[in-house]
Amino acid sequence: MSREQYQVPTAPSYGAGYATQAGEDEGPAVTYLCGDCNSKVSLKKNDPIRCKECGHRVLYKERTKRMVQFEAR
């Protein structure tokens, strides 16, 4: 292939559901519990790790409601 026949590749086209601009969709919010005031705090990907009520920076992830079973020997 000669230089004249070469075509520059274009940017990939993303399907529906993908974020195309920064800040458009940051994903699902995850709920945490504040270690100081016990309030529920929901955070997204780029949110600061800080309680919105008291400003405490220790957050605990809530326990899942799905049944988890381990096999013991």
Side-chain angles (χ1 to χ4, degrees):
M1 178 172 15
S2 66
R3 286 180 15 158
E4 290 80 24
Q5 292 176 339
Y6 177 74
Q7 293 179 357
V8 178
T10 59
S13 60
Y14 295 105
Y18 288 103
T20 56
Q21 296 177 359
E24 189 174 293
D25 184 24
E26 297 177 357
V30 180
T31 306
Y32 295 93
L33 292 174
C34 176
D36 193 30
C37 67
N38 254 359
S39 65
K40 290 188 178 185
V41 181
S42 59
L43 297 176
K44 288 192 176 184
K45 183 178 178 184
N46 292 327
D47 288 346
I49 302 171
R50 185 173 292 261
C51 176
K52 293 177 171 72
E53 302 294 324
C54 67
H56 197 67
R57 295 185 66 172
V58 176
L59 301 176
Y60 298 101
K61 196 169 188 179
E62 282 190 318
R63 186 179 294 251
T64 182
K65 294 177 180 41
R66 188 172 30 152
M67 186 181 80
V68 179
Q69 184 176 0
F70 296 101
E71 183 177 328
R73 291 191 221 192

